[in-house]
Amino acid sequence: MVSVINTVDTSHEDMIHDAQMDYYGTRLATCSSDRSVKIFDVKNGGQILVADLRGHEGPVWQVAWAHPMYGNILASCSYDRKVIIWKEENGTWDKMYEYTGHDSSVNSVCWGPYDFGLILACGSSDGAISLVTCSGDQQWDIKKISNAHTIGCNAVSWAPSVVPGSLIDQPSGQKPNFIKRFVSGGCDNLVKLWKEEDGQWKEDQKLEAHSDWVRDVGWAPSIGLPTSTIASCSQDGRVFIWTCDDPSGNTWTAKLLHKFNDVVWHVSWSVTGNILAVSGGDNKVTLWKESADGQWACISDVNKGQGAVSSIADGATNEQ
C-alpha cells in the first residue's frame, strides 16, 4: 500500500513540468511554464522556499540534481533552447554555467553516474544530444551527437556505471571497467542506446516497439546483477520493459508492461530498481513491480492532485 506523505504548495504561476528530490531526500526542485525553477527544503514534512531561480525565457521542462560529492548543483532545461547549471555557494544559488548550443527546445537533462565526473546529457527538439562535461576550474567541454533522433529527442537516461554481472564475476581487488552508456527516446518512435568508444559517442542499439513518439526512458539502477533493464513510455499509451542478459549488451527483449488509455509522459525507477512509477495523461501515478514469474503487476495507484490512494489488483489486467 502506498500513502501520500506530503504535498508541497509551490506557488508556481503555471503548470509544473518536473519535480525532483535531491540525493538525501531533503530538498525538492520544481520547474514550470512560469519560467522559474524553485528549490524547497522539505525536511520533517515541512516546506521552506530556499530559492526561486530566474534565468530561463520559456517554459522549463526538467530539472536534475548532480551527485552531492560535487556540491549542491542543479541543471535545468527549457523551451528557450538553454540549459542552465545552478550551484549553491554559501547559501546562495547562482548560475554556474549556461549552455546555448541547441537550435530548439531542450527537453531533457540527466547527470551521469558520479564515477564519470560531472557530465550532463541534454536531449533537444533539434534532434541532437549534447554531453556537457566539467573539466575542472569551471571549464566545460561539449560533445554533440547530431541527428540522434530525427524530428527531436524527448528524453535521456544514463546507464549505471556498474558493469552488468560484476557483482558475481568481479575478481576482488580489481578495478571495475566503467563504460559510459545512456539511453534516449525520440519523435522517431525509437529508443536508442549510446556508448562512448575512444572518446567518441556511437549508437550502440536501436530498439523498436513503440508506434508513436517516445516520451520518456529510464535505465534502471543496478548493483551489478547480470540483467540490464530499461523502461520506455510513449504517446501510444504503452510502457515497455527492455531487458538484456547478454554480457556484450547486444540482445534486448521487449515486454509490454501495460497499455494505458492515454499518453504516458514519465517513467521513474525506485533507487533499488525494482519498482517503476508511471505517470500519464489519465492524471494517475501507478507503481509496478515484477513478480517472481517475471510478470509485471500494478501494486498501487495514486490520483495526482487528490492524494487518494487505492490498491488495484484488478486494474492491472485492463487493456492488456
Side-chain angles (χ1 to χ4, degrees):
M1 194 64 184
V2 175
S3 56
V4 176
I5 56 169
N6 196 10
T7 53
V8 176
D9 178 10
T10 64
S11 299
H12 276 298
E13 292 159 16
D14 208 330
M15 187 180 291
I16 297 167
H17 297 293
D18 197 19
Q20 295 289 336
M21 302 293 288
D22 72 352
Y23 179 85
Y24 298 111
T26 58
R27 282 189 165 179
L28 174 73
T30 61
C31 61
S32 162
S33 279
D34 68 9
R35 306 179 176 191
S36 75
V37 173
K38 295 190 181 191
I39 298 169
F40 297 88
D41 195 321
V42 290
K43 284 202 266 304
N44 308 321
Q47 62 168 83
I48 300 162
L49 179 63
V50 176
D52 185 342
L53 306 176
R54 309 269 171 171
H56 285 294
E57 296 153 46
V60 188
W61 302 130
Q62 209 168 43
V63 286
W65 292 94
H67 191 278
M69 71 180 287
Y70 299 107
N72 290 330
I73 295 174
L74 185 76
S76 59
C77 62
S78 166
Y79 181 77
D80 66 5
R81 311 192 291 273
K82 289 194 293 197
V83 173
I84 299 178
I85 297 172
W86 311 85
K87 184 167 187 179
E88 183 186 36
E89 297 271 16
N90 304 320
T92 305
W93 285 86
D94 278 311
K95 270 186 207 178
M96 183 185 185
Y97 179 67
E98 189 171 298
Y99 174 58
T100 55
H102 284 288
D103 303 323
S104 192
S105 171
V106 184
N107 303 318
S108 183
V109 282
C110 185
W111 291 102
Y114 69 87
D115 317 71
F116 300 145
L118 213 46
I119 179 167
L120 184 72
C122 318
S124 169
S125 291
D126 64 9
I129 297 170
S130 293
L131 285 307
V132 181
T133 308
C134 183
S135 50
D137 300 331
Q138 303 275 1
Q139 294 298 307
W140 295 84
D141 176 53
I142 312 295
K143 283 183 180 158
K144 195 187 252 194
I145 305 168
S146 299
N147 207 25
H149 289 275
T150 46
I151 332 178
C153 175
N154 295 322
V156 285
S157 175
W158 284 84
S161 58
V162 183
V163 177
S166 60
L167 184 70
I168 302 158
D169 301 336
Q170 193 67 47
S172 58
Q174 187 177 320
K175 283 222 24 133
N177 177 26
F178 292 137
I179 301 167
K180 289 183 190 157
R181 293 188 301 165
F182 68 88
V183 60
S184 62
C187 302
D188 50 9
N189 310 349
L190 295 174
V191 173
K192 290 187 177 185
L193 276 54
W194 305 87
K195 184 161 78 175
E196 190 186 47
E197 284 180 1
D198 304 321
Q200 296 301 311
W201 286 93
K202 297 190 170 73
E203 184 182 311
D204 193 37
Q205 291 284 313
K206 194 181 288 182
L207 308 180
E208 300 183 55
H210 289 292
S211 57
D212 208 334
W213 290 13
V214 178
R215 284 293 177 184
D216 199 13
V217 287
W219 203 310
S222 167
I223 56 167
L225 293 172
T227 305
S228 298
T229 307
I230 291 169
S232 64
C233 66
S234 165
Q235 198 79 26
D236 65 16
R238 292 184 295 175
V239 175
F240 281 101
I241 306 292
W242 304 85
T243 52
C244 176
D245 303 315
D246 160 18
S248 62
N250 293 330
T251 313
W252 290 80
T253 310
K255 177 173 243 178
L256 180 66
L257 175 101
H258 191 64
K259 167 76 170 76
F260 293 85
N261 293 329
D262 209 333
V263 54
V264 185
W265 293 111
H266 284 299
V267 285
S268 179
W269 291 100
S270 63
V271 176
T272 48
N274 64 336
I275 294 175
L276 182 71
V278 178
S279 69
D282 60 0
N283 222 29
K284 280 185 176 177
V285 178
T286 50
L287 301 181
W288 299 78
K289 192 170 187 181
E290 189 178 17
S291 56
D293 61 356
Q295 296 303 307
W296 286 84
C298 182
I299 53 173
S300 73
D301 72 343
V302 179
N303 285 320
K304 280 193 212 160
Q306 295 174 20
V309 182
S310 59
S311 185
I312 53 163
D314 56 339
T317 56
N318 297 346
E319 294 292 315
Q320 286 279 14

